[in-house]
């Protein structure tokens, strides 16, 4: 397996959904995919030139037991949380938030020429479900850009070609890369053989895996075990984001924006929300 190129296990298109106060998006990964994609719980993709699709935003809501990673390629999102953080995510920025034991926040997209990005929910291990909530603002100047002949890689998390990214993850070690390939170019990425590895194609199309499988735009591609990921851009090039982390293999109890290990823990969280003791 030392040099084995991963084959394609699943290609997921996701479903159109409306979330928050009326935001139109594509729910690429959700509850039906959690077993295969562990420790990744959810992936929402958004790409719109119409502010009516997203301007109502995501008003104040709670999280516990997970981390949310919002990567914005283009657009503007104002945010705030119960820790007192306030700010704006803009082109090329990433908001990495640890919900941990409990946080309440809001995300309010602002009218922009284009709103393009992703939000990932990353599960927290049982031992860290109630970790102190935290927030990282990863601005473009903190995200290294690796340029090679035929492709560029933004190293958001983890490491690529000896370059360390903006973060690595405190509780789940994750690699997160934004890859842009020129037309017909190949990309080979060494991967942890024990990690769950997938990519999401934001623009363009191409081939993935070995044997090569053609994949259209706006698809998530989950790979079987192996030591390398291979992708090749089609004639119009391809831009995709890769995700890699070792699975947790723990039970999952899902209560909307709260993800714990047992139903009792979910009931306790909503009891605390009702009683005003959710924020610790």
């Amino acid at each position: 397996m030392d040099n084995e190129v991963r084959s394609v296990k699943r290609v997921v298109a996701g479903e159109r959904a409306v979330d928050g106060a009326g935001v139109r998006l594509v729910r690429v990964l959700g509850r039906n995919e959690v077993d295969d994609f562990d420790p990744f719980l959810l992936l929402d993709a958004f790409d719109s030139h119409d502010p009516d699709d997203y301007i109502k935003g995501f008003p104040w809501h709670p999280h516990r037991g997970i981390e949310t990673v919002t990567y914005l390629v283009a657009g503007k999102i104002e945010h705030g949380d119960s820790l007192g953080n306030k700010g704006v995510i803009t082109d090329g920025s990433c908001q990495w938030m640890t919900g941990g034991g409990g946080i309440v926040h809001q995300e309010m997209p602002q009218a922009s020429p284009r709103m393009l990005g992703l939000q990932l929910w990353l599960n927290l291990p049982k031992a860290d479900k109630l970790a102190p909530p935290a927030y990282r603002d990863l601005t473009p100047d903190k995200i290294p850009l690796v340029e090679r002949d035929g492709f560029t890689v933004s190293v958001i998390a983890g490491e690529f070609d000896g370059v360390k990214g903006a973060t690595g993850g405190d509780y789940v070690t994750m690699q997160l890369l934004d890859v842009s390939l020129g037309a017909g170019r190949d990309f080979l990425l060494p991967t942890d053989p024990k990690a769950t590895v997938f990519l999401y194609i934001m623009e363009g199309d191409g081939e993935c895996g070995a044997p090569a499988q053609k994949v259209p735009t706006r698809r998530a591609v989950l790979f079987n075990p192996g030591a390398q990921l291979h992708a090749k851009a089609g004639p119009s090039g391809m831009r995709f984001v890769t995700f890699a982390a070792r699975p947790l293999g723990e039970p999952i109890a899902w209560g909307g924006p709260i993800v714990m290990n047992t139903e009792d823990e979910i009931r306790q969280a909503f009891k605390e929300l009702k009683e005003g003791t959710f924020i610790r």
Side-chain angles (χ1 to χ4, degrees):
M1 186 180 286
D2 289 347
N3 296 308
E4 184 179 351
V5 176
R6 291 171 178 258
S7 59
V8 173
K9 182 176 182 178
R10 289 181 66 180
V11 176
V12 181
E15 298 179 351
R16 294 191 178 276
V18 177
D19 206 343
V23 177
R24 296 182 181 91
L25 48 80
V26 175
R27 180 136 299 157
V28 184
L29 307 179
R31 298 191 190 200
N32 293 331
E33 287 75 40
V34 292
D35 289 340
D36 281 348
F37 284 80
D38 179 19
F40 306 107
L41 296 167
L42 177 145
L43 181 68
D44 285 342
F46 42 93
D47 183 5
S48 176
H49 297 272
D50 183 359
D52 287 340
D53 286 342
Y54 56 80
I55 201 71
K56 294 178 181 178
F58 302 89
W60 296 100
H61 60 281
H63 284 296
R64 175 177 285 179
I66 66 171
E67 295 187 290
T68 65
V69 181
T70 304
Y71 180 50
L72 192 61
V73 176
K76 180 180 179 181
I77 301 176
E78 294 182 353
H79 63 87
D81 63 40
S82 52
L83 298 177
N85 294 304
K86 292 182 180 180
V88 179
I89 312 172
T90 55
D91 298 2
S93 297
C94 179
Q95 180 201 67
W96 190 304
M97 189 186 75
T98 301
I103 198 168
V104 177
H105 78 148
Q106 68 170 356
E107 300 153 299
M108 303 303 293
Q110 305 299 299
S112 305
R114 185 182 187 185
M115 186 68 63
L116 173 64
L118 304 167
Q119 184 175 91
L120 174 79
W121 289 14
L122 179 64
N123 203 5
L124 284 171
K126 181 178 180 179
D128 301 309
K129 284 286 189 185
L130 301 181
Y135 167 80
R136 296 181 189 84
D137 183 17
L138 306 180
T139 50
D141 59 293
K142 298 177 183 177
I143 300 174
L145 181 66
V146 178
E147 298 183 82
R148 298 288 184 265
D149 184 26
F151 66 85
T152 62
V153 178
S154 294
V155 191
I156 304 163
E159 185 176 318
F160 173 75
D161 201 18
V163 177
K164 291 186 177 181
T167 186
D170 290 338
Y171 304 103
V172 174
T173 300
M174 182 171 79
Q175 183 189 54
L176 177 58
L177 309 174
D178 177 359
V179 182
S180 293
L181 293 183
R185 292 288 186 165
D186 287 274
F187 180 74
L188 196 62
L189 175 68
T191 59
D192 175 358
K194 295 182 179 180
T196 300
V197 177
F198 79 98
L199 62 78
Y200 178 75
I201 302 174
M202 288 192 293
E203 296 179 311
D205 56 20
E207 298 178 351
C208 296
Q213 180 172 330
K214 289 186 178 180
V215 183
T217 193
R218 299 182 183 179
R219 298 293 191 274
V221 182
L222 176 67
F223 295 90
N224 284 306
Q228 299 183 87
L229 176 158
H230 177 256
K232 182 177 182 178
S236 61
M238 181 165 63
R239 183 172 188 175
F240 56 90
V241 179
T242 69
F243 306 82
R246 291 191 175 188
L248 300 178
E250 297 177 350
I252 295 173
W254 201 311
I258 298 169
V259 183
M260 303 299 288
N261 297 112
T262 68
E263 293 299 331
D264 283 346
E265 291 170 329
I266 295 293
R267 284 190 287 269
Q268 178 64 29
F270 281 99
K271 180 174 181 289
E272 292 174 17
L273 279 168
K274 184 176 181 180
E275 295 175 348
T277 58
F278 183 78
I279 303 299
R280 303 187 173 194

